[in-house]
Structures are given as structure tokens and as C-alpha cells.
Amino acid sequence: MTHNIYLYILVATFVSFLIRILPLTLIRGKIKNPFIRSFLYYVPYVTLAVMTFPAIITAPQVPIAGILALIAGAAAAWKGLNMMGIAALCCIVVFVCETVAQM
């Protein structure tokens, strides 16, 4: 059985194209169903969370540093800190945790 990389790339391109084009061609009017509208409203947030969460835990050398940074970032966001402040706080938490862990 031969493996043709170009065939794999072509199939992946076609599937990706279908996933993006079918909703545009099948749904032409405004979506009126409130359940579907509310579902689609939250899709970008859930997608971002699913992609980001594993990286938060696995990116630092010490996994507990990622967990503590996640908790600190969530608390800072809850208090209304802006995005740059949250990012800086999380970086500082990871830096301090990893420095303490190396001692």
C-alpha cells in the first residue's frame, strides 16, 4: 500500500472546505431559533477555552505553576483587571512558582 501525501492533503483540503462552505450555502436567511442562536453565540468562547486550557497546564515546566496562574488569572478577571494586567499577573505567578521550585 503506497502512501501518497498529496492525496492526503487534497482530502484534508476538501473536508476543511466543506466544513466552512456548507453552512454558508445551506443557511441563507437569518437564524430565528433562539436555542440555536444562543448555542452559536457561545461557540467561539468554548473553542478558545478548549484550545487554551491544556496549554495553560502543560506549558510551564512545573504543572502547579500553570494551575496557580489559571486561578490567579480567573480571580483577576473576576475583579475586572484588563487583559494586559491578567497576562502580566499570570506570567509573574508562573515565574515565581518555577523559581521557587528550582530552589
Side-chain angles (χ1 to χ4, degrees), residues 2-57:
T2 61
H3 298 284
N4 188 350
I5 188 78
Y6 298 111
L7 179 63
Y8 297 150
I9 293 172
L10 183 66
V11 169
T13 303
F14 181 70
V15 170
S16 179
F17 178 75
L18 279 180
I19 290 171
R20 288 171 172 80
I21 290 300
L22 279 179
L24 293 174
T25 57
L26 296 179
I27 305 171
R28 294 189 180 257
K30 184 173 178 162
I31 298 172
K32 295 178 181 151
N33 186 327
F35 177 75
I36 294 175
R37 287 176 57 101
S38 66
F39 173 77
L40 292 175
Y41 177 79
Y42 291 107
V43 167
Y45 302 110
V46 171
T47 305
L48 180 63
V50 167
M51 291 187 311
T52 306
F53 184 74
I56 291 171
I57 305 301

